[in-house]
Amino acid sequence: MFTELLRQEEKLQRVVIGTHGSLTAPGCIEQLANKNWAFFRSAKGPLFHPKLYLFEHDDRYTAIIGSHNMTRGAFNSNVELSTASDFDKGDPAIRILQEFIAQEAKGPCIVPTDTFISRYRASHRAALSQRKNVDDLYMDEPVRIDEKHRREAPIHMEWEQWLKKVDEEDEHGRGRRLAMLERVQELMRQPGGFLKLLLKDRQRIAGISMERSKGGSDIDWHFFGEMTAARRFGHSYARLVEEAPEELVAALDFIPSDIPPNRENWLAYWKALLAAAGEKGGISIGGATRLACLKRPDYFVPVTSANREKLARQLGVQKNALDSPEDYWDTVVKTILLTPWWNEECPADPTDAKAWRARAAMLDAIVYVRPTKQ
């Protein structure tokens, strides 16, 4: 469709194209960047969403208004609905449509510079990835008994109920956990990130520090998965933290920071951790999920010996269903992504918004059981 449009370029007077959501093909913007009849609406203005095609003939006009974008899918395979109407040359409706097109071409519009197109191309890739994630999550035909089971699981609750449960845990609930997450982010934002941190800070972030919190405002580094056993018994997890942090960072790079992660990202991350550990092993689901949830607390919750039983009950699964890292995405993350509380819009209250941005990790406050042996 786009190629055919360019073949008819001499007939075009105005083409107004939206950039909201970064779904317009970057190649389209790039090829039309220098055309004086092409106008690109800025994503900072109101959502630009009309589909209007106005054709002038010798004796009349034809207007097509409906749902069709200028794509091959829209005209060949999608389910779309549009109306084609003919108008006399003097029909007042034509003047209204022409004025609408002229007004929308005035903007707000962007100038498609090389810098803009480069940034837009990256944003477009992220938008397509996010759309795929949503499609993968919701397009599977649910098995009726599985859907009933999911809705009856305790984890299936509204945002207000979820927040209340988090706040019920005064000792290890919202305030102290968010303080720990904020401190982790502060450390990770330092030049060089995890690689350049002091050893004691890498140990803290990885959960292998032997420090014990004194309570109150003191940071408890054992929230979201205490991993001190890995250090005591010389597991590969502790070795990587202390001696080869670059391999942990390389594995974590498979989990994106700025776009929604997906199942493939998780599996690539887990595979990289196994490769880093080598033949001796020593990488558990606890260590893997701890690091993942500290990087993306909006998507991941740790699975540890201290929360496994209650987390399984919340998810409505058997405890041994949480043993497999390969099944973690489908068993845990996918279930979380379908809950009402996870899909709630970000609250206006600043404190609630902090909890919302870490909402998957904060589920640990509800399911955590502090070990009796200190």
Side-chain angles (χ1 to χ4, degrees), residues 269-285:
Y269 161 64
W270 172 246
K271 183 178 179 180
L273 285 180
L274 291 179
E279 295 181 358
K280 292 183 178 180
I283 294 287
S284 70
I285 191 172

PDB file of all heavy atoms in Angstrom, residues 269-285:
ATOM      1  N   TYR A 269      18.189 -15.474  30.105  1.00  0.00           N
ATOM      2  CA  TYR A 269      18.864 -15.078  31.349  1.00  0.00           C
ATOM      3  C   TYR A 269      19.247 -16.306  32.169  1.00  0.00           C
ATOM      4  O   TYR A 269      20.395 -16.443  32.618  1.00  0.00           O
ATOM      5  CB  TYR A 269      17.925 -14.156  32.127  1.00  0.00           C
ATOM      6  CG  TYR A 269      18.230 -13.986  33.598  1.00  0.00           C
ATOM      7  CD1 TYR A 269      19.412 -13.388  34.030  1.00  0.00           C
ATOM      8  CD2 TYR A 269      17.306 -14.391  34.568  1.00  0.00           C
ATOM      9  CE1 TYR A 269      19.674 -13.215  35.380  1.00  0.00           C
ATOM     10  CE2 TYR A 269      17.560 -14.218  35.917  1.00  0.00           C
ATOM     11  CZ  TYR A 269      18.743 -13.632  36.325  1.00  0.00           C
ATOM     12  OH  TYR A 269      19.006 -13.467  37.662  1.00  0.00           O
ATOM     13  N   TRP A 270      18.299 -17.232  32.332  1.00  0.00           N
ATOM     14  CA  TRP A 270      18.570 -18.439  33.121  1.00  0.00           C
ATOM     15  C   TRP A 270      19.651 -19.287  32.446  1.00  0.00           C
ATOM     16  O   TRP A 270      20.546 -19.807  33.111  1.00  0.00           O
ATOM     17  CB  TRP A 270      17.288 -19.232  33.313  1.00  0.00           C
ATOM     18  CG  TRP A 270      17.498 -20.569  33.952  1.00  0.00           C
ATOM     19  CD1 TRP A 270      17.308 -21.806  33.405  1.00  0.00           C
ATOM     20  CD2 TRP A 270      17.986 -20.807  35.290  1.00  0.00           C
ATOM     21  NE1 TRP A 270      17.624 -22.787  34.301  1.00  0.00           N
ATOM     22  CE2 TRP A 270      18.050 -22.209  35.469  1.00  0.00           C
ATOM     23  CE3 TRP A 270      18.373 -19.975  36.331  1.00  0.00           C
ATOM     24  CZ2 TRP A 270      18.490 -22.789  36.649  1.00  0.00           C
ATOM     25  CZ3 TRP A 270      18.813 -20.546  37.514  1.00  0.00           C
ATOM     26  CH2 TRP A 270      18.869 -21.949  37.673  1.00  0.00           C
ATOM     27  N   LYS A 271      19.598 -19.396  31.139  1.00  0.00           N
ATOM     28  CA  LYS A 271      20.603 -20.173  30.408  1.00  0.00           C
ATOM     29  C   LYS A 271      21.989 -19.561  30.589  1.00  0.00           C
ATOM     30  O   LYS A 271      22.987 -20.278  30.768  1.00  0.00           O
ATOM     31  CB  LYS A 271      20.241 -20.228  28.924  1.00  0.00           C
ATOM     32  CG  LYS A 271      21.186 -21.067  28.084  1.00  0.00           C
ATOM     33  CD  LYS A 271      20.722 -21.109  26.626  1.00  0.00           C
ATOM     34  CE  LYS A 271      21.680 -21.935  25.779  1.00  0.00           C
ATOM     35  NZ  LYS A 271      21.238 -21.980  24.354  1.00  0.00           N
ATOM     36  N   ALA A 272      22.070 -18.232  30.577  1.00  0.00           N
ATOM     37  CA  ALA A 272      23.348 -17.555  30.763  1.00  0.00           C
ATOM     38  C   ALA A 272      23.882 -17.769  32.173  1.00  0.00           C
ATOM     39  O   ALA A 272      25.096 -17.916  32.371  1.00  0.00           O
ATOM     40  CB  ALA A 272      23.200 -16.059  30.468  1.00  0.00           C
ATOM     41  N   LEU A 273      22.998 -17.794  33.164  1.00  0.00           N
ATOM     42  CA  LEU A 273      23.423 -18.063  34.539  1.00  0.00           C
ATOM     43  C   LEU A 273      23.999 -19.471  34.661  1.00  0.00           C
ATOM     44  O   LEU A 273      25.035 -19.674  35.311  1.00  0.00           O
ATOM     45  CB  LEU A 273      22.244 -17.894  35.506  1.00  0.00           C
ATOM     46  CG  LEU A 273      21.802 -16.470  35.846  1.00  0.00           C
ATOM     47  CD1 LEU A 273      20.632 -16.513  36.824  1.00  0.00           C
ATOM     48  CD2 LEU A 273      22.947 -15.665  36.445  1.00  0.00           C
ATOM     49  N   LEU A 274      23.331 -20.435  34.051  1.00  0.00           N
ATOM     50  CA  LEU A 274      23.829 -21.814  34.091  1.00  0.00           C
ATOM     51  C   LEU A 274      25.203 -21.927  33.440  1.00  0.00           C
ATOM     52  O   LEU A 274      26.096 -22.621  33.943  1.00  0.00           O
ATOM     53  CB  LEU A 274      22.835 -22.751  33.401  1.00  0.00           C
ATOM     54  CG  LEU A 274      21.501 -22.995  34.096  1.00  0.00           C
ATOM     55  CD1 LEU A 274      20.631 -23.929  33.257  1.00  0.00           C
ATOM     56  CD2 LEU A 274      21.708 -23.579  35.494  1.00  0.00           C
ATOM     57  N   ALA A 275      25.361 -21.244  32.316  1.00  0.00           N
ATOM     58  CA  ALA A 275      26.653 -21.284  31.622  1.00  0.00           C
ATOM     59  C   ALA A 275      27.744 -20.651  32.475  1.00  0.00           C
ATOM     60  O   ALA A 275      28.881 -21.142  32.522  1.00  0.00           O
ATOM     61  CB  ALA A 275      26.541 -20.565  30.277  1.00  0.00           C
ATOM     62  N   ALA A 276      27.399 -19.566  33.170  1.00  0.00           N
ATOM     63  CA  ALA A 276      28.377 -18.892  34.027  1.00  0.00           C
ATOM     64  C   ALA A 276      28.769 -19.764  35.212  1.00  0.00           C
ATOM     65  O   ALA A 276      29.921 -19.767  35.652  1.00  0.00           O
ATOM     66  CB  ALA A 276      27.814 -17.560  34.512  1.00  0.00           C
ATOM     67  N   ALA A 277      27.805 -20.527  35.734  1.00  0.00           N
ATOM     68  CA  ALA A 277      28.079 -21.396  36.886  1.00  0.00           C
ATOM     69  C   ALA A 277      28.978 -22.561  36.514  1.00  0.00           C
ATOM     70  O   ALA A 277      29.745 -23.058  37.346  1.00  0.00           O
ATOM     71  CB  ALA A 277      26.765 -21.909  37.468  1.00  0.00           C
ATOM     72  N   GLY A 278      28.907 -23.017  35.270  1.00  0.00           N
ATOM     73  CA  GLY A 278      29.746 -24.118  34.829  1.00  0.00           C
ATOM     74  C   GLY A 278      29.231 -25.469  35.294  1.00  0.00           C
ATOM     75  O   GLY A 278      28.092 -25.597  35.759  1.00  0.00           O
ATOM     76  N   GLU A 279      30.058 -26.467  35.208  1.00  0.00           N
ATOM     77  CA  GLU A 279      29.641 -27.843  35.502  1.00  0.00           C
ATOM     78  C   GLU A 279      29.295 -28.063  36.970  1.00  0.00           C
ATOM     79  O   GLU A 279      28.521 -28.960  37.305  1.00  0.00           O
ATOM     80  CB  GLU A 279      30.746 -28.818  35.083  1.00  0.00           C
ATOM     81  CG  GLU A 279      31.013 -28.855  33.586  1.00  0.00           C
ATOM     82  CD  GLU A 279      32.104 -29.844  33.226  1.00  0.00           C
ATOM     83  OE1 GLU A 279      32.662 -30.461  34.166  1.00  0.00           O
ATOM     84  OE2 GLU A 279      32.390 -30.005  32.024  1.00  0.00           O
ATOM     85  N   LYS A 280      29.855 -27.258  37.845  1.00  0.00           N
ATOM     86  CA  LYS A 280      29.588 -27.446  39.271  1.00  0.00           C
ATOM     87  C   LYS A 280      28.174 -27.011  39.656  1.00  0.00           C
ATOM     88  O   LYS A 280      27.686 -27.364  40.730  1.00  0.00           O
ATOM     89  CB  LYS A 280      30.609 -26.664  40.101  1.00  0.00           C
ATOM     90  CG  LYS A 280      32.024 -27.216  40.007  1.00  0.00           C
ATOM     91  CD  LYS A 280      32.958 -26.439  40.923  1.00  0.00           C
ATOM     92  CE  LYS A 280      34.366 -27.012  40.871  1.00  0.00           C
ATOM     93  NZ  LYS A 280      35.291 -26.272  41.760  1.00  0.00           N
ATOM     94  N   GLY A 281      27.523 -26.235  38.809  1.00  0.00           N
ATOM     95  CA  GLY A 281      26.192 -25.757  39.154  1.00  0.00           C
ATOM     96  C   GLY A 281      26.267 -24.750  40.286  1.00  0.00           C
ATOM     97  O   GLY A 281      27.198 -23.960  40.371  1.00  0.00           O
ATOM     98  N   GLY A 282      25.279 -24.800  41.169  1.00  0.00           N
ATOM     99  CA  GLY A 282      25.292 -23.878  42.302  1.00  0.00           C
ATOM    100  C   GLY A 282      24.513 -22.616  42.060  1.00  0.00           C
ATOM    101  O   GLY A 282      24.647 -21.636  42.794  1.00  0.00           O
ATOM    102  N   ILE A 283      23.669 -22.594  41.005  1.00  0.00           N
ATOM    103  CA  ILE A 283      22.756 -21.485  40.747  1.00  0.00           C
ATOM    104  C   ILE A 283      21.342 -22.001  40.975  1.00  0.00           C
ATOM    105  O   ILE A 283      20.913 -22.969  40.338  1.00  0.00           O
ATOM    106  CB  ILE A 283      22.887 -20.957  39.310  1.00  0.00           C
ATOM    107  CG1 ILE A 283      24.260 -20.337  39.099  1.00  0.00           C
ATOM    108  CG2 ILE A 283      21.795 -19.941  39.013  1.00  0.00           C
ATOM    109  CD1 ILE A 283      24.467 -19.007  39.776  1.00  0.00           C
ATOM    110  N   SER A 284      20.638 -21.378  41.891  1.00  0.00           N
ATOM    111  CA  SER A 284      19.285 -21.825  42.227  1.00  0.00           C
ATOM    112  C   SER A 284      18.248 -20.830  41.732  1.00  0.00           C
ATOM    113  O   SER A 284      18.573 -19.704  41.331  1.00  0.00           O
ATOM    114  CB  SER A 284      19.141 -21.975  43.749  1.00  0.00           C
ATOM    115  OG  SER A 284      19.166 -20.693  44.358  1.00  0.00           O
ATOM    116  N   ILE A 285      16.989 -21.243  41.768  1.00  0.00           N
ATOM    117  CA  ILE A 285      15.912 -20.349  41.394  1.00  0.00           C
ATOM    118  C   ILE A 285      15.850 -19.164  42.352  1.00  0.00           C
ATOM    119  O   ILE A 285      15.445 -18.065  41.982  1.00  0.00           O
ATOM    120  CB  ILE A 285      14.554 -21.092  41.349  1.00  0.00           C
ATOM    121  CG1 ILE A 285      13.487 -20.203  40.701  1.00  0.00           C
ATOM    122  CG2 ILE A 285      14.129 -21.551  42.748  1.00  0.00           C
ATOM    123  CD1 ILE A 285      12.183 -20.916  40.437  1.00  0.00           C
TER     124      ILE A 285
END
